[in-house]
Amino acid sequence: QSEFSPQNNNHHDIDDDDKWWYSPSEEDDEYVEWRPCSENQIYACPGEPPKHFRERMNALYDWLEKRPESTIALVTHWGVIRWFVGEEFENCETR
């Protein structure tokens, strides 16, 4: 049984301190949006700075490496896959 199976995971109990996505803290008062905004794009949340992304990816890598399973399906965004294997993937591509 997976650690993330519905029986073991109640998403409604996640508080703000448990966010897995980037959310600037008060220490990040110098945050500057780095994504394109020349065509009046509006983003729902701040873009994650590369340093924070690398820290999250290293933590995910460490967590995956400690898992007892011999095969793990990782369903994620292309940036995570690119970080892990150094290659680009198309939408819905599997290898």
Side-chain angles (χ1 to χ4, degrees), residues 18-72:
D18 291 334
K19 290 179 183 172
W20 53 264
W21 60 90
Y22 172 72
S23 182
S25 65
E26 292 182 16
E27 293 87 43
D28 294 332
D29 60 349
E30 296 180 19
Y31 176 81
V32 175
E33 181 59 61
W34 54 269
R35 297 174 291 186
C37 57
S38 59
E39 297 179 15
N40 297 322
Q41 290 99 328
I42 297 173
Y43 299 103
C45 62
E48 182 173 29
K51 176 183 179 249
H52 292 270
F53 180 75
R54 283 190 303 274
E55 289 170 358
R56 273 194 322 119
M57 293 303 97
N58 283 319
L60 175 60
Y61 182 87
D62 292 344
W63 182 83
L64 288 169
E65 195 171 51
K66 292 175 187 172
R67 299 295 305 161
E69 297 86 3
S70 60
T71 303
I72 298 173

